[in-house]
Amino acid sequence: LMSWSGSVCADICHKRGRAAGMATATEHTSDNLLAAGLDEDGMPIPHWPMQKQIHDVVTAGVVEAFLVALILVSFICVAIETDRAAVELEPLDAVSILSGIILALYTVELICKLYIFRAQYFKSGWNWLDFLVVLSDYLMIILESLLVSTFSLKFLRVLRLARLSRSARALHYFPQLAMMVQGV
């Protein structure tokens, strides 16, 4: 609660400073990045019109908030799937469908970012994490359809837990949560 109230106070002070015409350190950093042709994540801003339009959509605050919400929903889905698999119950159809929709949305994000940034995409650790998690999801789907033995199911549970690593990205968007996790 104290961390949240401190964050709210910092946001209010930040907004008051901007209203008074004072620049913050973050704004100076953003100005330096823009002058260098980089976005807030340090990725190059595309020059081609179609790439720029897709970049503006993918990096919009609303889209990033939606993707963070998907991370949290995905975390819940993985927890439910893993819990049911541990007691050898069939997965819930709703959770399987939701997981498939989430994977499709992350695949669209991945394809868009690869189109925008090309080889530069792989210079970001977060992008590598996203790429590997999406790849492991597809690998898990292929392995589940090919393997049926008890050994393979135990292996797939471990692979399913690798999807939880995506939730680490949510810490990037919630600094107070990251500090709490580091404290634990």
Side-chain angles (χ1 to χ4, degrees):
L1 182 61
M2 292 181 69
S3 174
W4 177 80
S5 62
S7 173
V8 170
C9 290
D11 289 344
I12 292 170
C13 291
H14 175 75
K15 288 175 184 170
R16 285 185 183 157
R18 290 184 73 183
M22 298 171 11
T24 63
T26 305
E27 289 170 336
H28 286 301
T29 304
S30 294
D31 291 343
N32 292 342
L33 287 171
L34 287 175
L38 304 174
D39 65 10
E40 293 82 20
D41 294 327
M43 298 297 290
I45 297 173
H47 299 291
W48 297 101
M50 182 67 141
Q51 285 178 311
K52 182 152 179 35
Q53 289 174 343
I54 295 172
H55 175 271
D56 292 345
V57 170
V58 171
T59 59
V62 173
V63 173
E64 288 189 352
F66 177 73
L67 291 172
V68 169
L70 277 182
I71 290 170
L72 299 176
V73 171
S74 178
F75 182 85
I76 293 168
C77 288
V78 170
I80 292 170
E81 289 173 346
T82 304
D83 189 46
R84 291 186 64 83
V87 292
E88 298 182 11
L89 293 174
E90 290 293 316
L92 296 173
D93 289 339
V95 173
S96 297
I97 291 169
L98 188 58
S99 293
I101 292 169
I102 291 170
L103 178 58
L105 291 170
Y106 280 132
T107 303
V108 169
E109 177 203 19
L110 176 73
I111 291 169
C112 287
K113 285 188 173 182
L114 282 169
Y115 174 71
I116 295 166
F117 301 121
R118 314 285 169 133
Q120 298 290 320
Y121 175 85
F122 293 104
K123 290 190 176 186
S124 166
W126 291 116
N127 289 343
W128 268 106
L129 175 68
D130 287 346
F131 179 78
L132 292 174
V133 169
V134 169
L135 186 66
S136 72
D137 276 354
Y138 283 112
L139 179 63
M140 190 171 66
I141 290 169
I142 292 167
L143 290 176
E144 281 179 343
S145 66
L146 296 177
L147 305 173
V148 189
S149 71
T150 306
F151 172 75
S152 66
L153 293 177
K154 289 180 182 176
F155 168 72
L156 291 176
R157 285 185 203 141
V158 173
L159 190 57
R160 184 177 291 122
L161 290 174
R163 290 170 50 196
L164 293 177
S165 63
R166 181 182 284 273
S167 59
R169 184 170 184 176
L171 298 176
H172 176 71
Y173 295 101
F174 301 109
Q176 293 84 9
L177 180 61
M179 288 183 350
M180 287 174 35
V181 170
Q182 288 174 351
V184 172

